[in-house]
Amino acid sequence: MSAFNTLDDLTPGQRVLVRIDLNSPVEDGEVQDNNRFDRYSETVRELADDDHRVVVMAHQGRPGRDTFVSLEQHAEILSEHVGKPVEFVADTFGDDAQEAIESLEAGEILMLENTRMTDDELPEKSPEEHAESEFVQTLAPLFDAYVNDAYSVAHRAHASTVGFPLALPAYAGRVMQTEYDYNTGVAEKAQEADGQVTMVVGGNKSKDVIGVIDNLGHVVDNFLLGGLPGQLFRRAQGHPIGYDVGDMDLLDDQYEETEETIKDILDEKSDQLELPVDFAYKGEDGERAEIALDDIESKEMEYFDIGHDTIDKYTPIIRESEAIFVKGAVGVFEDDRFGDGTKELLRAIGETDCLSVVGGGDTARSITKYGLDEDDYDHISIAGGAYLNALTGQELVAAQVLIDQADR
Ligand code: 3PG
């Protein structure tokens, strides 16, 4: 039995406010379709099919970032996935939003503007305080029920995730239900496995994943590093790699923030760490070229993937593991030249008969991109930070509010 009230408990034909998470990569202002649209569209379609008037809330980026854009494109992409029109109103909770909500008919879907465009959304406050905000107090009376499906942002105590469930009867959507049920306790399940537990650690948010090495050190036997963390660990050992080159600004700041932790991990957990021994870069002809770590002499080169010697070093460890977690891609797989590391490690995981959990919104996308079979993995999570919180046993505040409301 689920810890939540779910869509199965919702009487058809109501006015439903549903929070999903379509936070996506944005390239040159263009929102990139990805498997979050596909997964969250299931809940939206189910609600529309049940003749609810469906109003969708979601966010994109954060104020001040290039990815902080309107949800107009999201509504179009979501509509393709749901297979029904998704109207869009460029307003979060003002007159235009209220008018559009009130004119909805049964089975119709409306998307409101980026929740992070209202000042009430982002402050980290208690659910009780958020429930008192103008945002929640204005919108809640227009609805009969609130559905939170946004598992991938359930680690954030924002008005749209923790305020509304106190103001309306609250239910969990299908993604929230599945991801919560699977990810919670999976680390313990891995610990109970007889053999080796391995974690592939990549991506470009080093701070989060490096924290995980610290937190999961007692569960995981081998950490296979790639992506930014792989470069930063090599930098900490004194190699001329992991530095910002040209106008890039990804590495130096993150290194400063994590240097101390990285050095502690290198001191205390070196037996559990596997670091890249070669890297891929853009050769003179623009094609993929590789260089061994020991041959790197200048800091002036940008690297986009682990090399094939590293792949050959990591895959036997994967094949001998009983449980594998993936957090983040080991290379810039979106570019075909630099997808080898991510693809080959995922292929080895898929071929290995072990408990396999792949997380990180973007990483999940690489499975589809490289034609790997989703069924070869036990669970593919579309969440990043929330997945890490679940693995490390930290509370997912928005999921907890739903559970508390269901208990009442
Ligand atoms: C995500 O993409 O992981 C979630 O939407 C959370 O986004 P945030 O880190 O900007 O809060």
Side-chain angles (χ1 to χ4, degrees), residues 21 23 36 59 61-62 65 116 152-153 155-156 158 205 383-386:
D21 181 6
N23 198 22
R36 283 191 176 172
H59 73 276
R62 279 177 178 254
R65 298 204 186 147
R116 292 185 178 177
S152 40
V153 67
H155 55 312
R156 307 280 187 223
H158 294 160
K205 287 187 190 163

Side-chain angles (χ1 to χ4, degrees), residues 18 61-62 110 136 164 176 179 194 236 246 324 364 375 400-401:
V18 54
R62 279 177 178 254
L110 169 75
V136 175
F164 284 100
M176 176 69 79
E179 290 261 14
D194 291 338
I324 304 187
D375 293 340
Q400 195 53 49
V401 172

